[in-house]
Amino acid sequence: VIANRLHDVQDALRAGETTCVKLVEEALARAEASDLNAFVELFPESAMAQAQAVDAKLANGTAGLLAGMVMSIKDNLVYAGHQSSASSNILKDFTSPYSATAVQRLIDADAIIIGRSGCDEFAMGSSNETSAHGPVKNPVDPTKTPGGSSGGPASAVGAGIVQASLGTDTGGSIRQPAAFCGIYGTKPTYGRVSRYGAIAYASSFDQIGPFARSLDDLALVTQVISGADAHDSTCSELEVPDMRAGEAPERMTLGYYPEVVEHDALSPALRDAWAAYKTTLTDAGHELRPLAMPHLDALVPIYYILTTAEASSNLSRYDGMRYGHRAEGDLPLEDLYKQSRSEGFGTEVKRRIMLGTFVLSAGYFDAYYTKAQKARRVVRDQTLADLSQVDAIIGPTTPHVAFDLGKEYSDPTTLYLEDIFTVQAPIAGIPAMSFPAGTDDNGMPFGWQIMSNRFDEPKMFAIARALEALS
Ligand code: GLN
């Protein structure tokens, strides 16, 4: 298995104990041997070419920050000359003519991308089961979900096939799988990372972010992919700080929501773990400050009204003409659209397009969309006010550990409740991360989530480092 820190890999490279070519060969072999379904496709040719190029740069001293980092990318990020499908049949066989900014920045920093990892279709889901490429398995227990929607990238890192990966997080799709797979994951501040080349789900929520096996690598990859981009006007012009050089106060004030840690959905194992952790934190001299979260039950409805609205608009471009699968036969235009979209999209995506179209419809727009926008502002303002009086907000990332694959849901909203703790951050636009917190009696991992102020990722990582040093 792979080292947890790129630092150690780079030491080995410098000492001549290994080469990028060897690292890539080993990673590809692990991917081939794995039956987790963590990859939709491997890119052996471009990966080997990159490895050779980076080895040459290492030899002449021009290698970039991520030299030697073997990575995979989520199947909803485009990479020039390679296929990306958002794990949907409607984009089957789509080859991108350009690379996402985040992907290009990885390559420019000499990371090596060995393949694309599957996800829920168009990043809509919490279990990776809506993927057109089949479910991905959890590396800790293959009968369980790795989480979603970035299940493939999380599983690939959790299994030690790759050192790090890129996912996207709209409502928790990086943090929840990170928690389920026992690894690190972060959703940066909205606007920290360019969304150019991320196949859009809900544009005012989507952010690209990394999975890693150590905090160090998490911060490093976040740093490399961050920063202004002429291709994305919502991307911040703020300078990118050294993501590993943040500082945490010696005695921290950590906010938490009693409504969250006492929520009915929280499993007994996590409830107990949280109670014990609270004691650990206070014993170490940190202050745990209860904050009020009067809107907890509104978070998931706000999220699903706004994201489905945005999705219905974003996904209108897949009509079989401009993009995507086209139905066979000589059909009149309207029928061609209908048939192409009916064949190409899966059930969950169709459900969300219909929901989004409904909340945007003339008769209901004010009752749902406008109201949810107003509620979003209330939650954002409250979240920022909460953050102004603490160093960070902390709590469980998910209500429970990874659940069984293949569970039947009579009501899709059951699965929507999985996101109850993770949607606050994207509603408010703030950064958040999940770090490994321990395992339950069956050895299944769970994570603690840290939410921080906008553009305060270095401090968030520093707090995580301080917390990690405690256990
Ligand atoms: N599970 C959430 C959803 O289904 C989050 C997905 C995401 O963050 N992309 O929308």
Side-chain angles (χ1 to χ4, degrees), residues 123-126 149 168-173 201 303-304 352 419:
M124 297 173 184
S126 298
S149 65
T168 60
D169 188 311
T170 305
S173 280
Y201 157 20
Y303 171 80
Y304 277 94
R352 294 194 190 197
D419 308 321

Side-chain angles (χ1 to χ4, degrees), residues 186-414:
T186 187
K187 180 206 91 73
T189 310
Y190 185 79
R192 180 59 101 182
V193 180
S194 166
R195 287 178 295 107
Y196 182 67
I199 297 176
Y201 157 20
S203 310
S204 77
F205 291 75
D206 297 343
Q207 271 294 281
I208 300 173
F211 290 98
R213 300 172 62 81
S214 63
L215 254 174
D216 226 38
D217 286 5
L218 192 76
L220 194 58
V221 178
T222 305
Q223 182 174 320
V224 166
I225 62 175
S226 291
D229 179 16
H231 292 301
D232 177 2
S233 59
T234 65
C235 189
S236 168
E237 305 267 320
L238 278 181
E239 207 161 310
V240 181
D242 183 338
M243 294 282 180
R244 291 177 297 174
E247 280 175 40
E250 205 154 315
R251 286 175 187 278
M252 297 187 278
T253 306
L254 300 168
Y256 73 100
Y257 295 112
E259 289 89 342
V260 165
V261 297
E262 286 157 20
H263 198 276
D264 286 345
L266 195 66
S267 73
L270 265 111
R271 210 173 282 243
D272 293 350
W274 171 256
Y277 194 55
K278 237 175 101 181
T279 311
T280 308
L281 293 174
T282 42
D283 285 353
H286 303 301
E287 185 199 337
L288 266 279
R289 185 175 298 176
L291 301 165
M293 171 44 90
H295 313 299
L296 186 59
D297 289 335
L299 296 184
V300 169
I302 293 170
Y303 171 80
Y304 277 94
I305 289 169
L306 296 179
T307 56
T308 55
E310 294 186 25
S312 70
S313 163
N314 273 327
L315 272 57
S316 65
R317 75 191 69 174
Y318 307 104
D319 56 10
M321 304 293 275
R322 288 171 295 176
Y323 284 97
H325 164 80
R326 182 180 301 180
E328 306 254 337
D330 272 337
L331 296 167
L333 188 62
E334 286 264 328
D335 294 348
L336 182 63
Y337 288 153
K338 260 190 224 163
Q339 194 61 23
S340 301
R341 286 167 68 83
S342 300
E343 291 171 2
F345 288 132
T347 312
E348 182 60 27
V349 173
K350 285 177 185 157
R351 178 183 294 127
R352 294 194 190 197
I353 291 173
M354 288 196 286
L355 218 84
T357 308
F358 174 76
V359 302
L360 289 176
S361 61
Y364 293 96
F365 185 85
D366 280 334
Y368 291 105
Y369 184 76
T370 307
K371 192 155 181 193
Q373 286 288 30
K374 289 180 180 167
R376 181 182 199 179
R377 171 52 70 106
V378 170
V379 170
R380 190 193 87 129
D381 289 350
Q382 185 224 316
T383 305
L384 297 182
D386 289 348
L387 280 166
S388 72
Q389 48 157 318
V390 296
D391 290 306
I393 298 172
I394 176 168
T397 308
T398 58
H400 43 70
V401 298
F403 46 91
D404 290 338
L405 283 166
K407 266 215 273 193
E408 299 274 341
Y409 299 94
S410 47
D411 178 357
T413 58
T414 317

Side-chain angles (χ1 to χ4, degrees), residues 18-189:
T18 189
T19 62
C20 291
V21 166
K22 228 194 247 168
L23 290 170
V24 167
E25 281 169 355
E26 288 164 3
L28 289 170
R30 283 192 296 267
E32 304 267 13
S34 152
D35 51 16
L36 296 169
N37 195 29
F39 288 87
V40 174
E41 189 191 357
L42 292 169
F43 304 142
E45 265 172 52
S46 55
M48 286 309 284
Q50 257 180 300
Q52 281 160 359
V54 180
D55 278 334
K57 287 187 181 180
L58 281 163
N60 68 22
T62 59
L65 212 50
L66 298 185
M69 185 172 257
V70 176
M71 299 186 66
S72 84
I73 56 174
K74 186 174 177 177
D75 191 23
N76 66 349
L77 300 173
V78 302
Y79 180 12
H82 297 77
Q83 290 194 9
S84 284
S85 74
S87 293
S88 177
N89 280 327
I90 208 150
L91 277 178
K92 200 170 62 184
D93 308 325
F94 169 71
T95 299
S96 178
Y98 70 101
S99 292
T101 298
V103 170
Q104 190 57 49
R105 286 182 180 166
L106 292 182
I107 293 169
D108 292 345
D110 290 333
I112 301 162
I113 297 166
I114 67 155
R116 57 181 168 123
S117 288
C119 55
D120 281 300
E121 186 178 1
F122 282 98
M124 297 173 184
S126 298
S127 66
N128 220 106
E129 290 170 291
T130 71
S131 169
H133 302 289
V136 176
K137 295 170 188 166
N138 188 304
V140 182
D141 176 350
T143 66
K144 311 275 185 198
T145 175
S149 65
S150 315
S155 185
V157 172
I161 297 171
V162 291
Q163 178 124 27
S165 60
L166 286 190
T168 60
D169 188 311
T170 305
S173 280
I174 293 175
R175 291 160 287 151
Q176 183 247 29
F180 281 6
C181 294
I183 57 174
Y184 301 81
T186 187
K187 180 206 91 73
T189 310

